[in-house]
Amino acid sequence: MSEQEQGQQQPAAGEEAPKKEKKQLALNVVSNKAHKGFGAGTIDLSQVSCVMIDNGEAYIDVGAMHAKSKIERGIKFTPNKEDTPNGRLCYIVWVAVDRNESGSYYAGATACPMLIDSEAKRGWKILADHVNRLDYAIKRRYVLDELTADEKAALKGLLVSHNAEWWDNSPETLKEALQG
């Protein structure tokens, strides 16, 4: 019997055939370790946080990474803005943190708009736009021009109060982008 035939032998009566584990391809959150096998090239989200801006208040909400932030729960989203006529404008701000010789700093920040009508449980957002802006933050870009002066002040206040050293180490590009 050849090796190939031996590997395909039928189990004896009353025995179950061994089950092969199939590797699942998924978007994995991986650490900063060098990764070379199955799933190499996945996106590292370990240094990205989600900040929500709602009614002029900025706060960290880790649930936003999976579209389960406090304001998104229970909302049925549509890509058609007209389906949410009474929605209030909110933002998810993707904030990436990196480290250099000076220490950690806010390396990327991008704001994504969405409309939320909590009473009607309806919302509007463009998922592709949210994914692209998350990618921009990971790639160390700042896209905050859609925010009003009050929203920028709220975001800046949160970033400074969360870690003043990180704010001090951050590039002037971010500090200028958050000027009123």
Side-chain angles (χ1 to χ4, degrees):
M1 194 181 297
S2 74
E3 285 182 36
Q4 191 175 26
E5 290 170 329
Q6 286 176 352
Q8 295 177 355
Q9 286 183 351
Q10 297 297 321
E15 289 183 20
E16 285 187 31
K19 294 188 179 188
K20 267 188 162 180
E21 285 188 40
K22 187 175 181 181
K23 290 184 179 179
Q24 296 292 322
L25 182 59
L27 178 64
N28 297 317
V29 177
V30 295
S31 69
N32 58 3
K33 296 176 188 170
H35 182 70
K36 293 183 182 172
F38 182 80
T42 55
I43 298 171
D44 182 1
L45 300 175
S46 62
Q47 299 299 318
V48 178
S49 293
C50 309
V51 173
M52 304 302 294
I53 300 177
D54 186 18
N55 291 322
E57 180 189 356
Y59 58 92
I60 297 171
D61 191 330
V62 294
M65 186 63 73
H66 301 287
K68 293 183 180 184
S69 67
K70 181 175 79 172
I71 61 175
E72 291 173 293
R73 279 187 231 131
I75 302 293
K76 179 174 172 50
F77 284 96
T78 174
N80 301 319
K81 217 174 197 177
E82 56 275 358
D83 292 344
T84 313
N86 301 320
R88 71 184 185 279
L89 184 61
C90 304
Y91 288 91
I92 293 178
V93 182
W94 306 107
V95 180
V97 177
D98 204 349
R99 186 170 187 76
N100 61 18
E101 63 280 347
S102 303
S104 295
Y105 66 99
Y106 298 114
T110 56
C112 305
M114 61 182 172
L115 295 175
I116 302 288
D117 185 343
S118 300
E119 193 174 304
K121 297 194 181 291
R122 305 282 296 167
W124 164 84
K125 68 178 174 181
I126 306 292
L127 185 58
D129 188 40
H130 284 244
V131 171
N132 287 336
R133 297 209 188 182
L134 169 59
D135 183 55
Y136 293 164
I138 291 169
K139 291 178 177 172
R140 311 307 185 238
R141 297 182 190 167
Y142 301 104
V143 182
L144 302 166
D145 48 330
E146 288 185 50
L147 300 176
T148 65
D150 290 342
E151 292 162 339
K152 288 177 181 181
L155 178 59
K156 177 182 176 182
L158 175 76
L159 296 177
V160 171
S161 68
H162 180 71
N163 195 312
E165 184 181 336
W166 292 2
W167 174 259
D168 292 340
N169 291 337
S170 295
E172 288 303 313
T173 309
L174 173 62
K175 296 171 184 175
E176 290 168 9
L178 291 177
Q179 290 302 319

